[in-house]
Amino acid sequence: MFGNTLTVGSGSKGKLEVVDSQVGITGSADVGLDGFGDVDVTGGGVLIGGDLSIGVLANGIVTTRKGSFLKAQNISVGSTGDPLGAANGGSLVTGNDCEVTARDSVSIGEFLAFGIATVKNRGELASPIIRVGPLGTLLLEPLSNVTGGVILNGVGRIVPASAEDKQESGPAVIDGNLTLGPEGMLIIEVDDPSMPALEVLGATTLSGELIVEIPTDTVLTANQELQLVKFTGGVTGAFSSVTFPVAPEGFVGTTEVVDGVVRLTVVDPGVPSGGEGEGEGEGEGEGEGEGEGCAASPTAPHPSVPYADVAALLLAAAFLL
């Protein structure tokens, strides 16, 4: 038991490791108050009676591993930020078989600081409401689970499993409603085209972008169908645009929503990296069923940054400040 409050990273770098034990805090906890803060929970748990703020005026990182858990009232990832413009932010990693729970809400990159929350294979992030702001990124691996409503006004990225988890496949799941706001981006990194990368069990409202990334060495065939997202609870609205910033050279595809599933049809498979030949064209899409398709362009209006690079930048910034 740490008592009423806990601060990791105040004035200088601070680190807290919880290994195969449980820690209780009756009040609030700040990680990265005004110095770099790092909390690592391995095989144990942390119970916080109040709020958890990660990355307040400095960088903060909280990582759960090996079936551990973390619970708080509210969790802010990228809590407030420095009004003078200093680079800072927060990172929350829900590891394999781990559970992170906020009794009221989770906020990711909603304020002046950027935030990144990663839910790894078989991990669970749970809260009645999870808000991803303009400076926020929510990263989901296969078989990860988000329990609660998600409001996405930043970036939601669905990524392939890491090398050690490749033997297990399945979609990431949002067990709640999903709202993709006008400024929001849903990025799908295609790994297994035979199944959707994401399944939403609640009602979905669309008005933001869909960005599809296909590894450039992928061998595709004309008229091949790839499943991207399954909206089990129904869908209204439409994506404002569909783009393919990463794909074999010359790739062209169309998207449509059929029976609640976003399907990508290959018009021109393009040339995988290392191959020969050329392919050109523009994509089109028509909506069916509950959703609406839209034109697909090979160029995205926003740069795409792999989530591993984002995390690396956060770590690098933390040790430089």
Side-chain angles (χ1 to χ4, degrees):
M1 179 70 70
F2 273 83
N4 188 41
T5 60
L6 172 67
T7 301
V8 181
S10 178
S12 60
K13 299 175 183 177
K15 184 175 181 65
L16 171 65
E17 293 183 313
V18 179
V19 181
D20 296 328
S21 60
Q22 292 190 17
V23 170
I25 302 157
T26 58
S28 61
D30 292 325
V31 179
L33 180 59
D34 51 12
F36 171 60
D38 183 6
V39 173
D40 194 296
V41 186
T42 304
V46 176
L47 295 168
I48 301 172
D51 298 341
L52 168 62
S53 299
I54 307 170
V56 184
L57 296 176
N59 290 293
I61 298 175
V62 174
T63 305
T64 58
R65 312 175 194 271
K66 295 183 178 180
S68 54
F69 68 88
L70 185 151
K71 297 182 180 182
Q73 193 71 31
N74 296 282
I75 298 176
S76 296
V77 186
S79 180
T80 57
D82 188 341
L84 298 180
N88 66 280
S91 172
L92 171 65
V93 178
T94 304
N96 302 98
D97 301 305
C98 295
E99 180 180 345
V100 173
T101 303
R103 293 180 289 275
D104 286 345
S105 68
V106 174
S107 171
I108 305 166
E110 275 203 301
F111 306 105
L112 295 176
F114 65 89
I116 178 171
T118 303
V119 187
K120 297 182 72 64
N121 192 275
R122 305 182 310 277
E124 180 178 7
L125 175 63
S127 182
I129 188 70
I130 297 165
R131 300 186 300 271
V132 183
L135 298 179
T137 300
L138 176 63
L139 307 170
L140 304 180
E141 289 190 359
L143 296 177
S144 61
N145 194 71
V146 175
T147 301
V150 177
I151 300 175
L152 187 58
N153 289 310
V155 175
R157 179 183 281 271
I158 315 303
V159 300
S162 54
E164 62 268 23
D165 295 322
K166 276 289 186 181
Q167 70 276 12
E168 297 184 76
S169 61
V173 174
I174 295 178
D175 189 359
N177 297 334
L178 169 64
T179 300
L180 178 63
E183 303 301 320
M185 291 183 287
L186 178 61
I187 304 176
I188 304 292
E189 294 186 32
V190 175
D191 183 40
D192 185 349
S194 66
M195 68 176 66
L198 172 67
E199 181 175 5
V200 183
L201 302 184
T204 298
T205 303
L206 301 175
S207 58
E209 300 177 52
L210 174 63
I211 299 175
V212 183
E213 298 184 355
I214 305 173
T216 58
D217 60 354
T218 303
V219 178
L220 301 167
T221 58
N223 299 317
Q224 180 179 352
E225 283 194 353
L226 289 72
Q227 300 183 54
L228 301 178
V229 185
K230 183 177 182 180
F231 299 121
T232 301
V235 57
T236 58
F239 295 111
S240 59
S241 65
V242 180
T243 54
F244 303 97
V246 179
E249 183 179 358
F251 171 85
V252 178
T254 62
T255 59
E256 58 183 351
V257 180
V258 180
D259 297 329
V261 178
V262 181
R263 301 179 188 273
L264 166 62
T265 301
V266 178
V267 176
D268 186 336
V271 181
S273 54
E276 298 181 357
E278 295 183 358
E280 296 183 359
E282 295 183 357
E284 296 181 352
E286 294 183 359
E288 294 185 10
E290 300 169 289
E292 183 176 313
C294 49
S297 163
T299 304
H302 300 277
S304 176
V305 181
Y307 78 95
D309 293 347
V310 176
L313 288 172
L314 176 60
L315 283 168
F319 285 100
L320 287 174
L321 293 177

